[in-house]
Amino acid sequence: MIPDYFRLVLNQLRRRTLRASLTVLGIIIGIAAIIALLSISQGLKSSIEEQFQTFGVDRIIVSPKASQTSAPGTGATTLTTDDITTVEKVPDVSYAAAFLLEILRVEYSRQKISTYVTGLPFDLHKQLIKDYGLKFSEGNYLSSLSSREVIVGHRIATDTFDKSLHINNQLLINDVPFRVVGILESIGNPEDDSVIWISMDNLQEITGNKKSVSMIDVKLNKGSDPIQAAEKIKRRLQQAREDDESFDVLTADQLLSQFNLVLGIVQAVLIGIAFISLVVGAVGITTSMYAAVTERIAEIGIMKAIGATNNQVMSVFLLEAGLLGVFGGVVGVLLGFLAGKGVETIAHQAGFTILTVSLSPGTAIGGVAFAALVALSSGLVPAYQASRLNPVDAMRFG
Amino acid sequence: MRKPIIRLENVWKTYSLGEAKVNALQGLDLEIFPGEFVAVQGPSGSGKSTAVNMIGSLDYPSRGKVYLNGRDITSFSESDLAQLRGQTIGFVFQSFNLLPTLSAIDNVALPMMFQGVSRQKQLSTAREILVRVGLGHRLDNRPGQLSGGEQQRVAIARAMANNPEMILADEPTGNLDSSTGKAIIELLKEVNKEKKTIVMVTHDVKLSREADRTIYLKDGKAVKRL
């Protein structure tokens, strides 16, 4: 019985290729839009989480309160070298690394750019590079506290200057010559791949800024609770700074959840757009299913006259709607995923190689199921109405 | 006394057209017995189409009784009636009413499909009947590839698919030229010789002469003579 219906419906669809493809097109567009947007935001989320995983959960970031400062390097930083000493004394802290970011002139083979240069503590920089999971593609660590040496990120070496940069090349930072001793492997996002690292002492010397710190990256002892440690650090800093609270203490988890909050908003907007396109698609499906049923009222009359029950007529039309929905859903999911992959390719060209567009099996199946559901429900009303017509009246229709 | 296949007893059918009510049938009585070739004749407006609905048990009467094989059709649900109709009555229509997307053999197989006959049996029966109506060479052609006469032969084959007791033909030659129409009547007569009851509804006096007896319709009632 059921294979008979399949044969009948497939036959009908094959002979009405144009009508069927137009109906299916609406489904495809709606589903493709939603799948593309979902797979991009899923990819975005998992790549952010992946970065945090290498960064580690046992870390705490101390930074000037966001609302009270402008960009680092503009002199508005409120953390000082004294704060490092305070943080270091908190029992759970394994080490506290201070970073200073300054916008400086960087020159290589007569090409000048203005960019962030980061000063990091010489005695901790090996540890930090290891803890961040970074590897050198060329060269190695800084050799001493005061030697004029620089470590650069992947993009600085390959993409920033017309001529690519290698170890032992000379980089001028605010006209002071530095020797490139290490080039880092790509991380996958343009910001992290564009770092220029020199020792804190060198940066302080160049800028004359011996007091300020842009942020403190705190590594905790194994087994300590990040939330409690963050509380302790906050309290100590408040005491030492005499109740000044112009700083933030955030655990890696809190940072991640801040990221996720922003990402959530982005996702909500994306899904909102996808939903609208799906509604438009659903209206399209409904219209064309309605038309498809209406133009075949005469056929419905014939089927009923030759002995089809209302349920049999309904089954034929619902099976048709369902098949269109499943087919449109499958094609839509594939196209949507391809569109997502297209975005991924563009992102990779822009340096965001960490973005991997992914589509979970659940989302794919959900997409197909949703398409089938929309098609079925939009076919239901016209098919029901048609199946209840008097056969003779129906046959005279059209 | 033979039992009638279809018996209409004082059947009324009333349609409402907005405020106005139209009585298409006003107390129609008739009986169709097994093996008969009956013509139902009447001018347009005589309630012929409504009579086709009733004789074919395609619709319920507003008043009166319709008995299909001795059973009151109002006692059946719409679906049960559809099943019973599919087994008892085959239909042939003026405009052939074949499904345009299906081949001749699939059109003939369709009524069997709705009765739950196996695909194999559907195809063998459909082929056999199509050969009998002279279309053995047209099995895989779709209606659009067949002439009017051929389409009506497919329709007659389809009407015979479930081996019904009765075939109800509503103006079967109305869309055909006279010689093709004659061939179709001959085919129906042949089918009638195989003990199948034929009811042919027509407005054509000449055609009704081909039948064993004629029921005349006027103003929604059966009359002795027009």
Side-chain angles (χ1 to χ4, degrees), chain A residues 70-348:
Chain A
S70 25
T74 53
T77 49
T78 56
L79 291 173
T80 66
T81 43
D82 296 338
D83 295 324
I84 305 169
T85 328
T86 313
V87 173
E88 272 172 342
K89 281 184 191 147
V90 175
D92 287 333
V93 172
S94 160
Y95 63 74
F99 287 79
L100 177 61
L101 273 79
E102 297 280 1
I103 295 177
L104 300 177
R105 279 194 323 281
V106 178
E107 185 180 343
Y108 173 60
S109 86
R110 300 186 171 216
Q111 205 182 340
K112 278 184 198 169
I113 57 165
S114 275
T115 186
Y116 282 112
V117 174
T118 308
L120 64 172
F122 173 76
D123 52 339
L124 287 173
H125 87 280
K126 285 186 189 178
Q127 184 74 44
L128 284 170
I129 286 170
K130 273 186 204 144
D131 286 351
Y132 291 165
L134 301 176
K135 291 193 176 69
F136 289 102
S137 61
E138 267 184 70
N140 224 315
Y141 303 103
L142 306 175
S143 66
S144 80
L145 189 81
S146 53
S147 54
R148 306 275 193 218
E149 290 170 346
V150 61
I151 295 172
V152 298
H154 180 75
R155 273 175 80 84
I156 295 289
T158 56
D159 266 2
T160 311
F161 300 101
D162 293 342
K163 234 171 103 184
S164 64
L165 205 61
H166 296 283
I167 54 165
N168 294 327
N169 287 150
Q170 187 175 281
L171 215 55
L172 295 176
I173 299 175
N174 272 17
D175 300 326
V176 180
F178 279 78
R179 186 170 67 89
V180 176
V181 293
I183 294 167
L184 296 168
E185 279 182 4
S186 170
I187 297 163
N189 76 66
E191 200 186 327
D192 288 340
D193 282 336
S194 301
V195 293
I196 298 178
W197 283 346
I198 60 178
S199 78
M200 182 68 98
D201 299 71
N202 274 324
L203 187 58
Q204 285 172 344
E205 203 174 309
I206 291 171
T207 58
N209 184 350
K210 305 242 175 200
K211 199 76 180 151
S212 327
V213 165
S214 307
M215 88 180 206
I216 305 169
D217 179 8
V218 182
K219 162 99 172 167
L220 301 175
N221 287 322
K222 270 217 170 69
S224 46
D225 176 10
I227 294 170
Q228 281 178 13
E231 270 307 309
K232 277 185 217 162
I233 291 169
K234 200 169 181 177
R235 246 181 287 126
R236 293 286 176 88
L237 279 172
Q238 276 171 356
Q239 283 167 11
R241 293 163 64 102
E242 292 168 347
D243 289 336
D244 170 51
E245 287 187 36
S246 59
F247 62 91
D248 277 324
V249 179
L250 287 176
T251 65
D253 272 348
Q254 286 167 331
L255 275 175
L256 181 58
S257 59
Q258 278 194 348
F259 262 111
N260 278 341
L261 186 71
V262 175
L263 192 66
I265 294 166
V266 172
Q267 258 178 326
V269 171
L270 289 182
I271 290 169
I273 294 168
F275 185 74
I276 291 168
S277 62
L278 206 65
V279 168
V280 173
V283 171
I285 301 165
T286 312
T287 320
S288 45
M289 277 308 300
Y290 209 94
V293 171
T294 310
E295 74 179 5
R296 274 145 74 190
I297 286 180
E299 277 182 34
I300 293 169
I302 297 167
M303 288 187 195
K304 292 191 72 173
I306 63 176
T309 62
N310 291 1
N311 285 343
Q312 284 172 327
V313 170
M314 283 272 284
S315 311
V316 170
F317 280 89
L318 286 185
L319 186 62
E320 180 173 326
L323 279 180
L324 290 178
V326 168
F327 179 74
V330 168
V331 176
V333 167
L334 288 177
L335 280 183
F337 185 61
L338 282 180
K341 279 286 172 194
V343 171
E344 181 188 289
T345 310
I346 293 165
H348 282 201

Side-chain angles (χ1 to χ4, degrees), chain A residues 1 5 299-317 383-384 386-389 391, chain B residues 77-87 110-111 113-116:
Chain A
M1 225 23 206
Y5 282 112
E299 277 182 34
I300 293 169
I302 297 167
M303 288 187 195
K304 292 191 72 173
I306 63 176
T309 62
N310 291 1
N311 285 343
Q312 284 172 327
V313 170
M314 283 272 284
S315 311
V316 170
F317 280 89
Y384 177 75
S387 75
R388 290 177 59 87
L389 286 172
Chain B
S77 73
E78 220 183 309
S79 289
D80 290 341
L81 186 60
Q83 282 286 298
L84 189 64
R85 184 169 62 227
Q87 292 157 14
L110 201 58
M113 180 187 134
F114 290 129
Q115 295 290 333

Side-chain angles (χ1 to χ4, degrees), chain B residues 37-146:
Chain B
F37 190 150
V38 181
V40 177
Q41 200 210 317
S44 56
S46 61
K48 251 185 325 180
S49 304
T50 316
V52 172
N53 285 356
M54 292 304 147
I55 298 168
S57 11
L58 289 164
D59 202 356
Y60 298 100
S62 309
R63 201 137 60 83
K65 295 277 184 200
V66 176
Y67 296 97
L68 180 60
N69 272 334
R71 296 164 78 181
D72 184 356
I73 67 161
T74 49
S75 67
F76 292 105
S77 73
E78 220 183 309
S79 289
D80 290 341
L81 186 60
Q83 282 286 298
L84 189 64
R85 184 169 62 227
Q87 292 157 14
T88 320
I89 306 172
F91 291 89
V92 176
F93 303 98
Q94 177 174 0
S95 47
F96 324 135
N97 287 349
L98 301 171
L99 293 195
T101 56
L102 298 183
S103 64
I105 192 165
D106 279 331
N107 262 294
V108 178
L110 201 58
M112 293 183 268
M113 180 187 134
F114 290 129
Q115 295 290 333
V117 175
S118 79
R119 179 69 180 163
Q120 215 183 349
K121 184 88 172 63
Q122 286 172 28
L123 289 179
S124 63
T125 309
R127 188 175 299 116
E128 191 190 309
I129 303 172
L130 279 167
V131 169
R132 216 157 46 164
V133 301
L135 287 177
H137 58 302
R138 297 297 229 171
L139 298 179
D140 296 319
N141 290 88
R142 287 197 301 280
Q145 301 164 324
L146 299 173

